[in-house]
Amino acid sequence: MNYKESHTLILNNIARFIDLTELEKQKYLSLLTEIKVKKKVFLMQEGDTTKYEYFIIKGCLKVYTLDEDGAPHISMFAVEDYWTGDLASFMTKEPTPYFIKATEDSELLGISRANYDLLFQEIPKFERFYRILYQRSLVSYIRRSNYDISLTAEERYIEFKKKYPKIVNRITQKDLAAYIGITPEFMSKIISKINRM
């Protein structure tokens, strides 16, 4: 994706929640850093301090933790027009428990903590934008937690397919199983069963 297209994508994302003047748009874009990450490369690993809040221009990334047995637990997949990162680490400058790994060659725009703080000073209406962004993220997290408790694995898979139709065909069955919280073998049985229906 070229420079202009990437800027259009992020500005359209922001325009859903706040209106910016041309001058404000240019100021915001000047605070962003372009980041490219190859497939299978880590954007961030457990123990790192999160340096950026990321907006995905192109590609797909998975966000996960490892349990004590080394098994991954995927909390989200991030594709075009999504934001990702570890907000707690970004805000507190403490180490993150998360890994973010590219599952496809990916292009991102990142805002550093220093530029994030500067943004609020220069364009205060961005506080509203990020508040809405974080509220939506929290609601999504709460819903996901409720689904994990109240739905069967099969229902979680159906819900994922319905909610993220553009993602389901871009990730491996193994990663999908780690997101739903089951073994790849059980995931395979569920997919086979649903495909026969």
Side-chain angles (χ1 to χ4, degrees):
M1 192 173 286
N2 68 37
Y3 190 73
K4 188 176 179 194
E5 288 172 327
S6 66
H7 286 179
T8 299
L9 187 63
I10 196 168
L11 290 174
N12 286 345
N13 182 282
I14 291 162
R16 291 178 206 150
F17 308 110
I18 59 172
D19 293 321
L20 297 175
T21 66
E22 283 305 312
L23 198 62
E24 289 169 337
K25 288 176 186 177
Q26 293 313 309
K27 178 63 183 178
Y28 177 67
L29 293 173
S30 76
L31 298 175
L32 302 176
T33 302
E34 292 184 43
I35 300 158
K36 292 188 179 185
V37 57
K38 290 283 189 191
K39 182 178 179 177
K40 296 186 178 179
V41 171
F42 288 99
L43 181 66
M44 186 173 82
Q45 296 190 61
E46 178 184 24
D48 291 347
T49 301
T50 306
K51 294 183 171 54
Y52 295 94
E53 275 284 281
Y54 302 100
F55 180 79
I56 293 80
I57 296 297
K58 178 184 168 196
C60 181
L61 301 102
K62 60 182 177 181
V63 182
Y64 65 98
T65 55
L66 295 176
D67 66 20
E68 55 194 30
D69 297 323
H73 296 273
I74 297 175
S75 55
M76 79 174 287
F77 297 98
V79 295
E80 296 84 7
D81 205 26
Y82 277 52
W83 293 85
T84 194
D86 176 5
L87 180 62
S89 174
F90 182 71
M91 300 305 284
T92 64
K93 301 180 182 173
E94 292 175 359
T96 181
Y98 293 100
F99 295 84
I100 300 181
K101 189 177 188 180
T103 61
E104 298 173 358
D105 288 351
S106 301
E107 297 174 17
L108 307 94
L109 291 172
I111 186 162
S112 68
R113 181 58 201 272
N115 283 351
Y116 177 87
D117 291 339
L118 182 62
L119 178 66
F120 287 175
Q121 290 173 22
E122 303 266 334
I123 315 172
K125 66 179 84 167
F126 265 99
E127 289 192 13
R128 180 171 187 272
F129 170 74
Y130 281 103
R131 177 176 52 78
I132 292 168
L133 195 67
Y134 300 148
Q135 284 172 343
R136 289 165 67 95
S137 178
L138 181 59
V139 167
S140 179
Y141 173 78
I142 291 167
R143 282 188 182 145
R144 167 97 198 274
S145 299
N146 289 338
Y147 286 152
D148 287 350
I149 294 165
S150 61
L151 301 182
T152 66
E154 187 175 313
E155 289 167 333
R156 290 198 300 273
Y157 170 63
I158 292 166
E159 190 65 29
F160 183 86
K161 274 186 75 170
K162 192 166 50 174
K163 192 172 180 188
Y164 305 110
K166 292 179 182 175
I167 298 178
V168 76
N169 295 321
R170 294 173 67 177
I171 57 176
T172 65
Q173 202 167 291
K174 185 178 177 184
D175 281 346
L176 184 53
Y179 176 86
I180 290 174
I182 57 176
T183 65
E185 295 75 22
F186 191 36
M187 186 79 257
S188 185
K189 287 178 184 173
I190 288 173
I191 292 171
S192 296
K193 179 184 172 185
I194 288 171
N195 287 343
R196 287 195 307 268
M197 293 167 82

